[in-house]
Amino acid sequence: RSQVAARVPEEIRRALADMAPQFSQLATDEEMLLEEQQELQQPSKSRFGRRVALLAGGLSACALLAVVAGSRSTRQGSSLDAAGALPVAMGVVGLDEQQEQTQTMHAPSMKSFIAHSKPYQGGRDAKLGDHEQGVIKINEDGVWNTYYLPGATTIDDGKTVEYRPPYRFYLMKEPTTDYSDASKFYKPRFVGKTFTVDMDFGKNGQSPASCGCNLNFYLVDMPVNLAGQDGDHYCDAQCFPGLGCCAEFDMNEGNADVQQITNHACTHNYNGHPDWQCHKWGEPELKSTAHEFSLGPGHTIDGSKMFTFSQEFKVVNGGLIVTTTMSQDGQSVAKSMGPNAELDAMMKTGSLEKGMAFVTGYWYASDMNWLDSDECGSGPEHCNQNPAYISNWRITTNSDSPYPSPSPSPAPAPLAGGKCCCQHCNDCHEEGSWCGASADNCGHCGGGVWC
């Protein structure tokens, strides 16, 4: 084994070092497989037992290479080449050539994301029950409009969402889990507007959502044609296998120790990363410091108490500036990103101007250090999975905005003889739907054509 290890090329050794978290999981899987093999005592299962043994042996070989490479498991300790990237030829095991991607120290691991976040799929064969609809009320320029987060728990007459892992939810115009139909999503157009919510990680004196937890809301350019492994036509900028690939703007993700905002545009032009369709690491990225936000009274914003999160999308001289403000008890922290080429790409080609699907959820992982290591350290993390709350959802038009008020406004009467159809005039929305109320509404319904 030592002779084989000595012949491993240096670039592979460096790549394996950065893939240490995956090898760590492989080692755990190996232990489970060996235990399973030992339990297979019946002769009829001997063939399966041999397969388990062979797979376990392969995992041992992978683990050996990781050790030889001098594996380091923390985000800060990753080994990169001079360009700050892993060798292009090194992708994640199991990806095909079209989807091959490089794991980086900046992004959450594929395993964590897939294992700890899933869409709500109830109601596929029938209408959602009242308890499944996730009725949510959003104040848009002073008017309370009703939307849906199917599967979510909403309280306070729809003005508060109670989050518990592991689901992600999509903001919809109607109570449905048909995530293939773009016209059923409510896609707010945030450019020229400000989004505001009240966030509470420790309501009623409970221990707040801890290190390793991730409460979030973000925008992605879904649905895509690919149903994906979860059947929800999901996509994001990590371009994971089994999921679609598209622009992603992380409006907020964090826990009681940290808050982060990240832009992931898809310009297909990333020097040193020819395999990237989108910016996997994120550019720009903003993260709160320990002084600005964390647990306890010694910080500007105490993460154990409710605070107001506000995000303004403003265009200045053609460039997008996103300013995030967190406020609590008369104190505030403001952080701005832009103007920036990647951020402008998100506005123009990433569909931020036209509207993107709003996704929100709560997940957890033991390797959430990429998010909260400054406050939580680099070791394995244990999310307490305590509930978190987001309430008083507001969208307001900026006073200097050239963009119209948030849609949908009260539906105008349909034009005589007019109807909204999907790309051609023999596939049309039902009468009385929001898309079919007017030609203007139809134009916002994902390829809608007024006939």
Side-chain angles (χ1 to χ4, degrees):
R1 290 186 177 184
S2 62
Q3 292 175 351
V4 172
R7 294 197 296 269
V8 176
E10 180 61 26
E11 62 269 23
I12 296 180
R13 296 159 70 95
R14 289 200 303 268
L16 289 172
D18 286 282
M19 296 174 68
Q22 285 72 34
F23 288 122
S24 176
Q25 183 63 44
L26 287 173
T28 301
D29 292 344
E30 177 187 4
E31 293 178 4
M32 296 174 61
L33 288 167
L34 289 174
E35 291 175 1
E36 191 172 355
Q37 179 191 11
Q38 293 170 3
E39 294 174 0
L40 300 176
Q41 301 297 329
Q42 294 85 352
S44 62
K45 296 182 180 178
S46 60
R47 181 177 299 176
F48 179 70
R50 287 195 296 271
R51 291 179 180 177
V52 170
L54 288 171
L55 179 55
L59 294 174
S60 295
C62 289
L64 170 67
L65 290 178
V67 172
V68 170
S71 301
R72 285 171 288 181
S73 62
T74 65
R75 177 179 175 185
Q76 289 81 1
S78 297
S79 177
L80 303 176
D81 63 20
L86 296 175
V88 171
M90 293 302 296
V92 178
V93 175
L95 304 191
D96 60 34
E97 293 180 1
Q98 294 287 330
Q99 296 174 314
E100 186 170 32
Q101 61 139 345
T102 300
Q103 288 289 351
T104 75
M105 67 177 182
H106 296 272
S109 72
M110 177 182 68
K111 181 175 177 61
S112 293
F113 178 86
I114 293 175
H116 297 289
S117 173
K118 58 185 179 181
Y120 184 75
Q121 300 281 28
R124 283 303 178 95
D125 299 323
K127 290 185 177 180
L128 291 171
D130 292 344
H131 68 286
E132 297 178 287
Q133 293 184 2
V135 175
I136 179 173
K137 295 181 179 178
I138 302 178
N139 188 312
E140 298 180 276
D141 284 334
V143 178
W144 287 100
N145 293 316
T146 299
Y147 301 103
Y148 303 88
L149 290 170
T153 299
T154 57
I155 56 178
D156 300 335
D157 193 30
K159 295 180 181 179
T160 298
V161 181
E162 178 182 290
Y163 291 83
R164 297 175 186 267
Y167 289 104
R168 60 180 183 263
F169 308 106
Y170 305 122
L171 185 61
M172 312 295 286
K173 295 175 186 171
E174 57 187 85
T176 178
T177 54
D178 179 6
Y179 303 128
S180 67
D181 188 346
S183 70
K184 296 180 179 178
F185 287 76
Y186 178 47
K187 300 183 176 184
R189 290 189 250 172
F190 284 119
V191 178
K193 301 176 178 67
T194 298
F195 176 74
T196 305
V197 290
D198 296 327
M199 303 183 66
D200 197 342
F201 290 104
K203 193 172 185 177
N204 300 323
Q206 71 180 19
S207 178
S210 65
C211 299
C213 303
N214 187 322
L215 177 70
N216 57 73
F217 45 88
Y218 59 104
L219 306 171
V220 290
D221 213 1
M222 70 175 284
V224 293
N225 291 331
L226 175 69
Q229 64 179 30
D230 292 325
D232 58 345
H233 297 263
Y234 177 81
C235 62
D236 65 26
Q238 297 303 322
C239 305
F240 294 130
L243 301 173
C245 183
C246 66
E248 170 189 350
F249 186 80
D250 299 333
M251 300 172 71
N252 174 268
E253 55 186 332
N255 49 47
D257 290 282
V258 67
Q259 298 289 287
Q260 180 170 299
I261 305 99
T262 314
N263 177 66
H264 297 275
C266 299
T267 64
H268 307 269
N269 183 26
Y270 300 106
N271 294 332
H273 303 282
D275 56 324
W276 283 9
Q277 297 185 56
C278 309
H279 202 302
K280 296 181 182 294
W281 296 351
E283 169 62 31
E285 176 189 276
L286 297 175
K287 182 180 292 191
S288 62
T289 66
H291 173 74
E292 294 170 336
F293 183 98
S294 193
L295 288 171
H299 312 276
T300 304
I301 305 297
D302 180 355
S304 67
K305 298 166 55 180
M306 187 176 71
F307 65 97
T308 297
F309 178 97
S310 182
Q311 198 161 68
E312 179 192 51
F313 297 80
K314 184 176 182 178
V315 177
V316 178
N317 297 324
L320 180 62
I321 298 176
V322 179
T323 301
T324 301
T325 303
M326 295 176 286
S327 56
Q328 180 187 76
D329 297 335
Q331 299 191 93
S332 64
V333 171
K335 305 181 82 68
S336 292
M337 59 170 59
N340 171 278
E342 288 290 309
L343 196 58
D344 289 345
M346 177 63 69
M347 177 174 64
K348 296 294 184 183
T349 61
S351 299
L352 195 58
E353 273 188 326
K354 294 183 293 183
M356 302 171 70
F358 185 99
V359 189
T360 182
Y362 182 172
W363 63 289
Y364 62 92
S366 61
D367 57 351
M368 198 71 74
N369 317 87
W370 58 270
L371 174 68
D372 55 21
S373 61
D374 289 348
E375 282 290 273
C376 302
S378 58
E381 299 182 353
H382 305 281
C383 171
N384 58 20
Q385 301 183 46
N386 284 346
Y389 303 84
I390 300 180
S391 58
N392 299 320
W393 299 53
R394 294 93 88 189
I395 300 175
T396 54
T397 302
N398 302 338
S399 59
D400 57 351
S401 172
Y403 295 86
S405 298
S407 60
S409 55
L415 298 179
K419 55 186 177 179
C420 185
C421 305
C422 297
Q423 297 182 345
H424 44 79
C425 290
N426 59 359
D427 180 15
C428 304
H429 295 279
E430 295 181 2
E431 292 185 8
S433 68
W434 183 83
C435 293
S438 71
D440 182 64
N441 286 6
C442 182
H444 301 321
C445 285
V449 176
W450 187 255
C451 298

